[in-house]
Amino acid sequence: MKHNKEVNISYWAAHLTTVVSVTLVLVIIGIIALVTIGATTETQRLKERLEVSVVMADSVSDAGASALAGEIKKAPYALSVGVITKEAALKNWKNDTGEDLEALFGVNPLSPEVTFAVKADYASAKSLAQIGASLRKKSGVADVALPDAAMVENMNRNIERLCIILGAIALVMIIISFVLINNTVHLAIYARRFTIHTMQLVGATNGFIRRPFILDNMLSGLISGLIASGLIAVPILLAPGSGFSDLTSYVGWQIYCIVAGALILTGMSLCALAAWIASSRYLHRDYDELFR
């Protein structure tokens, strides 16, 4: 009885080590994934706030500006389009500067404008320049004010660097986790190497011998993925009540569920692969090699 109890304790201890190590790695990978997705989402929002202003000529009426706005709405780069009429432009000028241009000149000297936000895919210096060039060729357009190209390029460059860095960290963590899992599983299987050899002697196939090791470790990966997903969900749930911004505005629950599912699959796959490799080491060894 005492011997069996010690065997059971060592078995669960081995699996506990696997679960803890895999969980920690999956938590880090999950956080990296959510940070990357959140940064990408926020960058897309910033890109879609970039506004292009088309200043119409003095001779163009509000109706002419509305007609151009209708054309821009049909363009593939337009996200949202608005028209600033002559009266609205005059009111904005008066609110900003305190000057009444109509009283000063006797007429409203301002012209209507068409403003629009571009889709994130077109928020690059090259695309904005092409959009501006095509709009300047249209009849009645006096000028096109584009967002700062340098700001757009810096924004795109920074998010690309962030994704590369976080991706590299995630890859390193996956490699480290696989090594840790492989070593842990290897030790567990090493303790049962003579059992494996005995099963081979009675005619058990390699697949039959591997199956329990792989299934046991897939279960460990499943548990690790569930725990890691739960730990990552805690700060998302507690953030609004703790004085922090609502994290779901950056990463929605739908995205979280996809990441959580990916973590569970990753944990199960890593553990299954490690078990397959570790068990294969002893399936092709002679009896004398088992003592080494």
Side-chain angles (χ1 to χ4, degrees), residues 238-272:
L238 298 181
S242 303
F244 296 96
S245 60
D246 188 0
L247 297 180
T248 55
S249 62
Y250 301 96
V251 180
W253 285 112
Q254 183 178 4
I255 297 297
Y256 164 79
C257 290
I258 294 174
V259 172
L263 290 179
I264 293 173
L265 290 177
T266 300
M268 293 176 66
S269 300
L270 285 174
C271 290

Side-chain angles (χ1 to χ4, degrees), residues 84-102:
I84 301 177
T85 63
K86 290 186 176 183
E87 291 299 324
L90 181 65
K91 185 177 180 180
N92 292 339
W93 180 278
K94 187 175 182 180
N95 292 335
D96 294 338
T97 64
E99 296 179 353
D100 189 347
L101 295 180
E102 190 172 19

Side-chain angles (χ1 to χ4, degrees), residues 46-47 63-64 102 134 145 151 179 189 228 230 232 239 273 281 289:
L46 292 175
K47 288 179 178 179
E102 190 172 19
S134 64
M151 180 189 70
V179 173
I189 296 177
I232 293 174
L273 181 60
R281 293 179 182 179
E289 293 178 325

